Amino acid sequence: KCSYSPLMSEVTFGPSGLPGRRLAWGGATVDVVLFGAHITSWKTPGADGMPMERLWMSSCSPMDGSAPIRGGIPIAWPQFAN
């Protein structure tokens, strides 16, 4: 059982300020952009103690809401009914 819950904060991403959330716990962080429900960053402490990015993101993704996000992890929940 966890003795603490993750810290969540509201943040913005990209040049146009796409809304998102950052979760942090145990030295790790996860960034979720609400546009397209997409995980765009997952960092864990590296061997040297510095945060190490674990996900690939394309530099071609404009991150302004005009096109889909390339890279990361899209969060897709199955929908079986209206």
Side-chain angles (χ1 to χ4, degrees):
K1 182 177 178 181
C2 285
S3 60
Y4 65 95
S5 52
L7 173 65
M8 183 171 59
S9 56
E10 292 185 21
V11 293
T12 57
F13 302 97
S16 65
L18 292 174
R21 302 293 183 272
R22 175 168 289 149
L23 292 115
W25 70 100
T29 61
V30 172
D31 291 344
V32 181
V33 175
L34 301 183
F35 174 74
H38 215 94
I39 296 173
T40 57
S41 176
W42 172 38
K43 293 180 182 175
T44 61
D48 60 359
M50 298 298 294
M52 182 173 182
E53 182 60 62
R54 302 294 180 172
L55 298 180
W56 174 84
M57 291 294 298
S58 173
S59 60
C60 296
S61 187
M63 293 294 288
D64 63 3
S66 67
I69 296 171
R70 296 180 62 194
I73 304 170
I75 303 171
W77 299 104
Q79 181 177 342
F80 300 104
N82 296 342

